[in-house]
Amino acid sequence: GEAATEDESPLNPSNVVNGTNYFRYRSEVLKLEADIDQGLEALRKSQKYEYKLAEESLRAHAKYLQNLLQQLNKEKSELACQPNTSHSSVLFQTVEKRKEQLRQAMIKFEEMKKQNAEPRLPAGFELDIECGGT
């Protein structure tokens, strides 16, 4: 109790100082650890958010590509049903434009994939487009 502390009085000042320093140091360390945890948590959240955004934009673009592809197939079959269509016909021009649109969209899609390393394509979405040639 009280008496014992009196007896060790010569040691007291340094004990108090060391103790206080230790606790101050300890609380600094804890504060730092808390800061690091907070920082990591924030990073995790932002990465999750980034990933979600990337995934959403990729899915949206994939959907866009599918629509273009469907459009192109539709227009191609319409074209096939008109055997004597000339290259100047509106339908022929439309198909050519659509192919170019699809080609550009594919390039963009590839770039998007590179930016967001290893995104997974929606299931069953394998693109197999013959480039060029009608």
Side-chain angles (χ1 to χ4, degrees):
E2 204 54 40
T5 313
E6 295 293 335
D7 292 347
E8 297 160 7
S9 57
L11 295 175
N12 245 354
S14 65
N15 270 353
V16 169
V17 170
N18 286 344
T20 313
N21 277 351
Y22 174 74
F23 282 115
R24 190 172 294 142
Y25 167 76
R26 193 73 196 110
S27 75
E28 284 298 312
V29 168
L30 287 173
K31 208 174 123 223
L32 188 65
E33 284 173 359
D35 282 351
I36 291 169
D37 282 347
Q38 256 178 336
L40 286 174
E41 186 52 33
L43 186 66
R44 245 195 306 277
K45 279 190 182 133
S46 77
Q47 280 178 335
K48 235 181 232 164
Y49 177 70
E50 292 281 311
Y51 178 80
K52 205 164 162 42
L53 278 186
E55 190 185 22
E56 277 168 13
S57 65
L58 270 175
R59 282 182 190 281
H61 199 72
K63 215 170 180 52
Y64 170 65
L65 275 172
Q66 278 178 311
N67 290 339
L68 278 182
L69 202 51
Q70 282 168 354
Q71 235 3 71
L72 180 60
N73 287 335
K74 191 164 143 290
E75 288 155 357
K76 263 184 165 177
S77 61
E78 279 172 26
L79 194 58
C81 292
Q82 303 173 10
N84 308 322
T85 315
S86 75
H87 283 202
S88 59
S89 82
V90 174
L91 192 54
F92 185 83
Q93 297 297 331
T94 305
V95 169
E96 289 305 299
K97 274 199 197 108
R98 186 77 62 205
K99 276 186 184 165
E100 182 53 25
Q101 209 181 354
L102 195 54
R103 201 176 64 78
Q104 296 295 339
M106 280 300 293
I107 292 168
K108 183 163 162 43
F109 191 65
E110 288 307 317
E111 282 168 5
M112 285 167 81
K113 282 200 302 189
K114 273 196 206 85
Q115 278 168 14
N116 313 297
E118 310 307 349
R120 288 177 306 289
L121 277 175
F125 186 76
E126 301 307 321
L127 265 184
D128 185 7
I129 299 173
E130 78 285 11
C131 287
T134 36

